[in-house]
Amino acid sequence: VSGAAILGLGEHRPARLVTNDELSQTLDTSDEWIRERTGFRTRGIAAADETVVAMATSAAGKALADAGRSPESVDLVVLATCSMASSIPGGAALIASALGAPTPAAFDLNAGCSGFCYALAVAADLVRAGRSRTALVVGSERLSDWTDWSDRSTAILFGDGAGAAVVGASDLDGIGPVEWGSDGTLAELVYAPTDTRLLTMQGPPLYRWATRMLPGVAEAACARAGLAPADLAAIVCHQANLRMIDAVVRALRLPPSVVVARDGATTGNTSAASVPLALSALRDTGAVASGARVLLLGFGAGLTYAAQVVAVP
Ligand SMILES: CC(C)(COP(=O)(O)OP(=O)(O)OC[C@H]1O[C@@H](n2cnc3c(N)ncnc32)[C@H](O)[C@@H]1OP(=O)(O)O)[C@@H](O)C(=O)NCCC(=O)NCCS
């Protein structure tokens, strides 16, 4: 056994969905503007008890059940998040203890909205190196705590939720080599100042950065996995804005056979949770079959980006 694969997926979506019309009651915006510029119709907003750790634990438990693995078998937990209420302690060990995983290695990873793809790359390499046999990779965010609800340019975008994957050894390598990187010179395009702790974002330059850069990153990740973008069964971009995803898909000249994840339409931008949520939605709705090859493409605060081709469990 020398490969690593995703063995199971799980998700946690808050029950409360906030509509564009609801936002328009307190913000100078409209359902029409939000749909046209972002493709978003609703976003999930967590209840008081749906903390980053609680949502992550819920998603991770479902992923373990999906993989047919016990909590006792988990020897590594990586939590990708940037929205914990407090960063001390990190959340990964709390998820492990809540699940009943005895003494796994556990750490949090902050790579903004690329976090899940970064965490998946790290866990896959640890599995391939023989350092982990059953790894939990979770993206969980409560961006509603970090959102300025009086700022119409950001409040329409963000949501809460968690998605998880179990990664384990496999004869067939189901997690392709990662294509990743960063540009800290552009950090001020999306950040939360230490005084307000509320996200501020320069939308248009971020949009241009992402649509210019991501097609090349996507092509490189596909090449590393030995296939062309047109060979993919689906593409799962970070759900920052569906119009932006459409631009990336156009630039890649993807044929109609490639399914494009559009989970953000109902879920909003959930940062590190958006890629695993969108992947599990594709699988659960039957849009992609088990074994199908899907490109994951994360990008966001840092700025950071990361992409890899995975096989659907
Ligand atoms: C945020 C975003 C949706 C804004 O869309 P846009 O088409 O770029 O719109 P602009 O920011 O240029 O704003 C256009 C106009 O709409 C206004 N506007 C902004 N938000 C609005 C809202 N919610 N409702 C109505 N009008 C709004 C602006 O004030 C501006 O008005 P003006 O022309 O009078 O100045 C878009 O830039 C985006 O998604 N960017 C990328 C976000 C991203 O990548 N995030 C990833 C990091 S996690």
Side-chain angles (χ1 to χ4, degrees):
V1 178
S2 58
I6 298 178
L7 306 178
L9 294 168
E11 55 172 55
H12 180 95
R13 296 173 186 270
R16 181 159 177 243
L17 290 178
V18 171
T19 64
N20 295 341
D21 284 336
E22 206 173 331
L23 290 176
S24 308
Q25 287 167 17
T26 51
L27 291 170
D28 181 14
T29 189
S30 67
D31 177 46
E32 192 190 356
W33 194 95
I34 299 171
R35 279 181 195 243
E36 193 187 304
R37 301 293 180 115
T38 72
F40 292 179
R41 300 192 303 270
T42 59
R43 65 282 300 142
I45 299 295
D49 61 350
E50 290 179 305
T51 62
V52 168
V53 168
M55 292 190 290
T57 303
S58 160
K62 291 175 195 165
L64 282 173
D66 187 46
R69 296 276 170 115
S70 68
E72 292 76 19
S73 69
V74 174
D75 57 15
L76 171 68
V77 180
V78 188
L79 171 64
T81 188
C82 61
S83 57
M84 291 274 286
S86 160
S87 57
I88 306 173
L94 297 172
I95 297 165
S97 59
L99 287 168
T103 57
F107 64 94
D108 293 13
L109 180 157
N110 182 346
C113 306
S114 315
F116 181 83
C117 294
Y118 268 76
L120 186 64
V122 170
D125 282 350
L126 287 169
V127 167
R128 281 189 279 256
R131 296 300 292 148
S132 169
R133 297 168 72 87
T134 304
L136 262 176
V137 179
V138 195
S140 182
E141 304 279 12
R142 218 182 125 92
L143 292 179
S144 57
D145 287 343
W146 296 77
T147 299
D148 178 352
W149 289 103
S150 67
D151 174 7
R152 68 177 181 176
S153 71
T154 54
I156 58 160
L157 298 173
F158 299 121
D160 304 328
V166 174
V167 176
S170 162
D171 291 328
L172 290 178
D173 212 13
I175 302 174
V178 71
E179 172 73 20
W180 58 5
S182 69
D183 185 354
T185 66
L186 299 175
E188 78 280 5
L189 293 187
V190 50
Y191 77 107
T194 47
D195 55 347
T196 65
R197 291 168 58 93
L198 296 175
L199 278 162
T200 66
M201 193 182 81
Q202 296 179 43
L206 254 183
Y207 191 101
R208 286 194 296 274
W209 170 79
T211 49
R212 220 177 277 151
M213 201 229 7
L214 292 177
V217 174
E219 280 164 357
C222 288
R224 285 183 186 279
L227 45 83
D231 301 332
L232 294 165
I235 178 169
V236 177
C237 295
H238 165 52
Q239 305 284 299
N241 177 331
L242 301 188
R243 226 181 89 212
M244 202 158 131
I245 292 171
D246 289 338
V248 172
V249 166
R250 270 197 307 277
L252 285 170
R253 299 175 197 281
L254 294 179
S257 59
V258 182
V259 174
V260 179
R262 303 180 72 82
D263 188 55
T266 51
T267 311
N269 173 350
T270 56
S271 191
S274 90
V275 166
L277 279 171
L279 178 63
S280 96
L282 282 191
R283 196 214 27 189
D284 293 352
T285 56
V288 292
S290 173
R293 289 196 289 180
V294 174
L295 176 70
L296 309 183
L297 180 54
F299 56 93
L303 302 179
T304 59
Y305 58 86
Q308 68 264 91
V309 175
V310 304
V312 175

PDB file of all heavy atoms in Angstrom, residues 155-181:
ATOM      1  N   ALA A 155     -21.512  41.185   3.714  1.00  0.00           N
ATOM      2  CA  ALA A 155     -22.549  40.445   4.459  1.00  0.00           C
ATOM      3  C   ALA A 155     -23.380  39.525   3.562  1.00  0.00           C
ATOM      4  O   ALA A 155     -23.946  38.541   4.029  1.00  0.00           O
ATOM      5  CB  ALA A 155     -23.463  41.427   5.186  1.00  0.00           C
ATOM      6  N   ILE A 156     -23.424  39.838   2.266  1.00  0.00           N
ATOM      7  CA  ILE A 156     -24.208  39.017   1.334  1.00  0.00           C
ATOM      8  C   ILE A 156     -23.474  37.718   0.962  1.00  0.00           C
ATOM      9  O   ILE A 156     -24.060  36.829   0.366  1.00  0.00           O
ATOM     10  CB  ILE A 156     -24.500  39.793   0.034  1.00  0.00           C
ATOM     11  CG1 ILE A 156     -23.169  40.217  -0.606  1.00  0.00           C
ATOM     12  CG2 ILE A 156     -25.375  40.997   0.314  1.00  0.00           C
ATOM     13  CD1 ILE A 156     -23.272  40.539  -2.068  1.00  0.00           C
ATOM     14  N   LEU A 157     -22.178  37.644   1.315  1.00  0.00           N
ATOM     15  CA  LEU A 157     -21.366  36.536   0.803  1.00  0.00           C
ATOM     16  C   LEU A 157     -21.218  35.365   1.766  1.00  0.00           C
ATOM     17  O   LEU A 157     -21.253  34.208   1.344  1.00  0.00           O
ATOM     18  CB  LEU A 157     -19.952  37.039   0.464  1.00  0.00           C
ATOM     19  CG  LEU A 157     -19.849  38.109  -0.623  1.00  0.00           C
ATOM     20  CD1 LEU A 157     -18.412  38.613  -0.719  1.00  0.00           C
ATOM     21  CD2 LEU A 157     -20.301  37.543  -1.963  1.00  0.00           C
ATOM     22  N   PHE A 158     -21.011  35.652   3.056  1.00  0.00           N
ATOM     23  CA  PHE A 158     -20.479  34.621   3.936  1.00  0.00           C
ATOM     24  C   PHE A 158     -21.542  33.770   4.610  1.00  0.00           C
ATOM     25  O   PHE A 158     -22.667  34.215   4.841  1.00  0.00           O
ATOM     26  CB  PHE A 158     -19.566  35.256   4.983  1.00  0.00           C
ATOM     27  CG  PHE A 158     -18.394  35.966   4.354  1.00  0.00           C
ATOM     28  CD1 PHE A 158     -18.185  37.321   4.558  1.00  0.00           C
ATOM     29  CD2 PHE A 158     -17.517  35.279   3.533  1.00  0.00           C
ATOM     30  CE1 PHE A 158     -17.106  37.975   3.961  1.00  0.00           C
ATOM     31  CE2 PHE A 158     -16.442  35.918   2.933  1.00  0.00           C
ATOM     32  CZ  PHE A 158     -16.237  37.274   3.154  1.00  0.00           C
ATOM     33  N   GLY A 159     -21.140  32.527   4.952  1.00  0.00           N
ATOM     34  CA  GLY A 159     -22.018  31.590   5.639  1.00  0.00           C
ATOM     35  C   GLY A 159     -21.215  30.682   6.552  1.00  0.00           C
ATOM     36  O   GLY A 159     -19.987  30.800   6.645  1.00  0.00           O
ATOM     37  N   ASP A 160     -21.926  29.771   7.227  1.00  0.00           N
ATOM     38  CA  ASP A 160     -21.323  28.864   8.209  1.00  0.00           C
ATOM     39  C   ASP A 160     -21.557  27.411   7.795  1.00  0.00           C
ATOM     40  O   ASP A 160     -22.537  27.100   7.109  1.00  0.00           O
ATOM     41  CB  ASP A 160     -21.969  29.076   9.586  1.00  0.00           C
ATOM     42  CG  ASP A 160     -21.884  30.525  10.064  1.00  0.00           C
ATOM     43  OD1 ASP A 160     -20.893  31.200   9.724  1.00  0.00           O
ATOM     44  OD2 ASP A 160     -22.813  30.964  10.771  1.00  0.00           O
ATOM     45  N   GLY A 161     -20.685  26.520   8.273  1.00  0.00           N
ATOM     46  CA  GLY A 161     -20.877  25.096   8.006  1.00  0.00           C
ATOM     47  C   GLY A 161     -19.576  24.338   8.168  1.00  0.00           C
ATOM     48  O   GLY A 161     -18.528  24.931   8.475  1.00  0.00           O
ATOM     49  N   ALA A 162     -19.652  23.024   7.957  1.00  0.00           N
ATOM     50  CA  ALA A 162     -18.461  22.178   8.082  1.00  0.00           C
ATOM     51  C   ALA A 162     -18.556  20.998   7.128  1.00  0.00           C
ATOM     52  O   ALA A 162     -19.642  20.464   6.885  1.00  0.00           O
ATOM     53  CB  ALA A 162     -18.307  21.661   9.513  1.00  0.00           C
ATOM     54  N   GLY A 163     -17.399  20.605   6.588  1.00  0.00           N
ATOM     55  CA  GLY A 163     -17.307  19.414   5.753  1.00  0.00           C
ATOM     56  C   GLY A 163     -16.074  18.635   6.162  1.00  0.00           C
ATOM     57  O   GLY A 163     -15.070  19.232   6.555  1.00  0.00           O
ATOM     58  N   ALA A 164     -16.164  17.299   6.091  1.00  0.00           N
ATOM     59  CA  ALA A 164     -15.054  16.468   6.573  1.00  0.00           C
ATOM     60  C   ALA A 164     -14.779  15.320   5.616  1.00  0.00           C
ATOM     61  O   ALA A 164     -15.674  14.856   4.909  1.00  0.00           O
ATOM     62  CB  ALA A 164     -15.385  15.913   7.959  1.00  0.00           C
ATOM     63  N   ALA A 165     -13.529  14.892   5.619  1.00  0.00           N
ATOM     64  CA  ALA A 165     -13.126  13.721   4.839  1.00  0.00           C
ATOM     65  C   ALA A 165     -12.254  12.823   5.702  1.00  0.00           C
ATOM     66  O   ALA A 165     -11.454  13.311   6.502  1.00  0.00           O
ATOM     67  CB  ALA A 165     -12.340  14.158   3.596  1.00  0.00           C
ATOM     68  N   VAL A 166     -12.432  11.513   5.531  1.00  0.00           N
ATOM     69  CA  VAL A 166     -11.515  10.538   6.133  1.00  0.00           C
ATOM     70  C   VAL A 166     -10.504  10.162   5.055  1.00  0.00           C
ATOM     71  O   VAL A 166     -10.886   9.827   3.930  1.00  0.00           O
ATOM     72  CB  VAL A 166     -12.265   9.282   6.619  1.00  0.00           C
ATOM     73  CG1 VAL A 166     -11.289   8.224   7.112  1.00  0.00           C
ATOM     74  CG2 VAL A 166     -13.256   9.654   7.706  1.00  0.00           C
ATOM     75  N   VAL A 167      -9.233  10.251   5.407  1.00  0.00           N
ATOM     76  CA  VAL A 167      -8.157   9.908   4.475  1.00  0.00           C
ATOM     77  C   VAL A 167      -7.408   8.700   5.021  1.00  0.00           C
ATOM     78  O   VAL A 167      -7.054   8.668   6.208  1.00  0.00           O
ATOM     79  CB  VAL A 167      -7.186  11.095   4.286  1.00  0.00           C
ATOM     80  CG1 VAL A 167      -6.012  10.705   3.383  1.00  0.00           C
ATOM     81  CG2 VAL A 167      -7.923  12.295   3.696  1.00  0.00           C
ATOM     82  N   GLY A 168      -7.218   7.699   4.180  1.00  0.00           N
ATOM     83  CA  GLY A 168      -6.501   6.509   4.624  1.00  0.00           C
ATOM     84  C   GLY A 168      -5.689   5.903   3.490  1.00  0.00           C
ATOM     85  O   GLY A 168      -5.738   6.377   2.344  1.00  0.00           O
ATOM     86  N   ALA A 169      -4.929   4.871   3.825  1.00  0.00           N
ATOM     87  CA  ALA A 169      -4.075   4.219   2.835  1.00  0.00           C
ATOM     88  C   ALA A 169      -4.921   3.488   1.805  1.00  0.00           C
ATOM     89  O   ALA A 169      -6.028   3.026   2.095  1.00  0.00           O
ATOM     90  CB  ALA A 169      -3.135   3.250   3.527  1.00  0.00           C
ATOM     91  N   SER A 170      -4.390   3.417   0.592  1.00  0.00           N
ATOM     92  CA  SER A 170      -5.135   2.804  -0.506  1.00  0.00           C
ATOM     93  C   SER A 170      -4.152   2.321  -1.565  1.00  0.00           C
ATOM     94  O   SER A 170      -3.118   2.951  -1.794  1.00  0.00           O
ATOM     95  CB  SER A 170      -6.081   3.855  -1.102  1.00  0.00           C
ATOM     96  OG  SER A 170      -6.508   3.484  -2.380  1.00  0.00           O
ATOM     97  N   ASP A 171      -4.472   1.172  -2.204  1.00  0.00           N
ATOM     98  CA  ASP A 171      -3.607   0.685  -3.281  1.00  0.00           C
ATOM     99  C   ASP A 171      -3.594   1.672  -4.433  1.00  0.00           C
ATOM    100  O   ASP A 171      -2.566   1.946  -5.026  1.00  0.00           O
ATOM    101  CB  ASP A 171      -4.101  -0.681  -3.774  1.00  0.00           C
ATOM    102  CG  ASP A 171      -3.872  -1.757  -2.720  1.00  0.00           C
ATOM    103  OD1 ASP A 171      -2.879  -1.641  -1.976  1.00  0.00           O
ATOM    104  OD2 ASP A 171      -4.700  -2.679  -2.638  1.00  0.00           O
ATOM    105  N   LEU A 172      -4.768   2.194  -4.770  1.00  0.00           N
ATOM    106  CA  LEU A 172      -4.848   3.196  -5.821  1.00  0.00           C
ATOM    107  C   LEU A 172      -4.732   4.573  -5.186  1.00  0.00           C
ATOM    108  O   LEU A 172      -5.443   4.868  -4.234  1.00  0.00           O
ATOM    109  CB  LEU A 172      -6.196   3.085  -6.549  1.00  0.00           C
ATOM    110  CG  LEU A 172      -6.398   1.851  -7.414  1.00  0.00           C
ATOM    111  CD1 LEU A 172      -7.792   1.862  -8.022  1.00  0.00           C
ATOM    112  CD2 LEU A 172      -5.334   1.789  -8.498  1.00  0.00           C
ATOM    113  N   ASP A 173      -3.832   5.415  -5.703  1.00  0.00           N
ATOM    114  CA  ASP A 173      -3.684   6.750  -5.150  1.00  0.00           C
ATOM    115  C   ASP A 173      -4.869   7.595  -5.584  1.00  0.00           C
ATOM    116  O   ASP A 173      -5.057   7.854  -6.766  1.00  0.00           O
ATOM    117  CB  ASP A 173      -2.355   7.348  -5.637  1.00  0.00           C
ATOM    118  CG  ASP A 173      -1.756   8.285  -4.599  1.00  0.00           C
ATOM    119  OD1 ASP A 173      -2.218   8.271  -3.433  1.00  0.00           O
ATOM    120  OD2 ASP A 173      -0.828   9.023  -4.944  1.00  0.00           O
ATOM    121  N   GLY A 174      -5.692   8.016  -4.616  1.00  0.00           N
ATOM    122  CA  GLY A 174      -6.910   8.769  -4.936  1.00  0.00           C
ATOM    123  C   GLY A 174      -6.827  10.243  -4.604  1.00  0.00           C
ATOM    124  O   GLY A 174      -7.832  10.943  -4.656  1.00  0.00           O
ATOM    125  N   ILE A 175      -5.639  10.708  -4.231  1.00  0.00           N
ATOM    126  CA  ILE A 175      -5.455  12.137  -3.938  1.00  0.00           C
ATOM    127  C   ILE A 175      -4.202  12.590  -4.678  1.00  0.00           C
ATOM    128  O   ILE A 175      -3.086  12.212  -4.324  1.00  0.00           O
ATOM    129  CB  ILE A 175      -5.329  12.399  -2.421  1.00  0.00           C
ATOM    130  CG1 ILE A 175      -6.576  11.889  -1.680  1.00  0.00           C
ATOM    131  CG2 ILE A 175      -5.125  13.898  -2.156  1.00  0.00           C
ATOM    132  CD1 ILE A 175      -6.488  11.977  -0.157  1.00  0.00           C
ATOM    133  N   GLY A 176      -4.395  13.351  -5.739  1.00  0.00           N
ATOM    134  CA  GLY A 176      -3.286  13.741  -6.604  1.00  0.00           C
ATOM    135  C   GLY A 176      -2.360  14.746  -5.944  1.00  0.00           C
ATOM    136  O   GLY A 176      -2.705  15.363  -4.938  1.00  0.00           O
ATOM    137  N   PRO A 177      -1.164  14.917  -6.529  1.00  0.00           N
ATOM    138  CA  PRO A 177      -0.197  15.884  -5.994  1.00  0.00           C
ATOM    139  C   PRO A 177      -0.788  17.293  -5.987  1.00  0.00           C
ATOM    140  O   PRO A 177      -1.476  17.691  -6.932  1.00  0.00           O
ATOM    141  CB  PRO A 177       0.978  15.797  -6.975  1.00  0.00           C
ATOM    142  CG  PRO A 177       0.798  14.526  -7.723  1.00  0.00           C
ATOM    143  CD  PRO A 177      -0.666  14.241  -7.745  1.00  0.00           C
ATOM    144  N   VAL A 178      -0.529  18.014  -4.911  1.00  0.00           N
ATOM    145  CA  VAL A 178      -1.110  19.352  -4.772  1.00  0.00           C
ATOM    146  C   VAL A 178      -0.318  20.369  -5.581  1.00  0.00           C
ATOM    147  O   VAL A 178       0.902  20.285  -5.714  1.00  0.00           O
ATOM    148  CB  VAL A 178      -1.173  19.754  -3.283  1.00  0.00           C
ATOM    149  CG1 VAL A 178       0.227  20.030  -2.704  1.00  0.00           C
ATOM    150  CG2 VAL A 178      -2.072  20.975  -3.089  1.00  0.00           C
ATOM    151  N   GLU A 179      -1.038  21.331  -6.149  1.00  0.00           N
ATOM    152  CA  GLU A 179      -0.440  22.516  -6.763  1.00  0.00           C
ATOM    153  C   GLU A 179      -0.832  23.667  -5.839  1.00  0.00           C
ATOM    154  O   GLU A 179      -2.019  23.959  -5.701  1.00  0.00           O
ATOM    155  CB  GLU A 179      -1.021  22.713  -8.172  1.00  0.00           C
ATOM    156  CG  GLU A 179      -0.627  24.006  -8.851  1.00  0.00           C
ATOM    157  CD  GLU A 179       0.830  24.020  -9.319  1.00  0.00           C
ATOM    158  OE1 GLU A 179       1.429  22.937  -9.459  1.00  0.00           O
ATOM    159  OE2 GLU A 179       1.355  25.128  -9.528  1.00  0.00           O
ATOM    160  N   TRP A 180       0.121  24.276  -5.151  1.00  0.00           N
ATOM    161  CA  TRP A 180      -0.250  25.286  -4.153  1.00  0.00           C
ATOM    162  C   TRP A 180       0.731  26.432  -4.120  1.00  0.00           C
ATOM    163  O   TRP A 180       1.821  26.345  -4.709  1.00  0.00           O
ATOM    164  CB  TRP A 180      -0.455  24.658  -2.768  1.00  0.00           C
ATOM    165  CG  TRP A 180       0.706  23.891  -2.170  1.00  0.00           C
ATOM    166  CD1 TRP A 180       1.972  23.782  -2.696  1.00  0.00           C
ATOM    167  CD2 TRP A 180       0.703  23.134  -0.964  1.00  0.00           C
ATOM    168  NE1 TRP A 180       2.733  22.999  -1.875  1.00  0.00           N
ATOM    169  CE2 TRP A 180       1.989  22.588  -0.797  1.00  0.00           C
ATOM    170  CE3 TRP A 180      -0.259  22.858   0.009  1.00  0.00           C
ATOM    171  CZ2 TRP A 180       2.344  21.787   0.298  1.00  0.00           C
ATOM    172  CZ3 TRP A 180       0.097  22.067   1.091  1.00  0.00           C
ATOM    173  CH2 TRP A 180       1.369  21.533   1.230  1.00  0.00           C
ATOM    174  N   GLY A 181       0.334  27.512  -3.457  1.00  0.00           N
ATOM    175  CA  GLY A 181       1.203  28.667  -3.354  1.00  0.00           C
ATOM    176  C   GLY A 181       0.514  29.799  -2.614  1.00  0.00           C
ATOM    177  O   GLY A 181      -0.601  29.644  -2.100  1.00  0.00           O
TER     178      GLY A 181
END
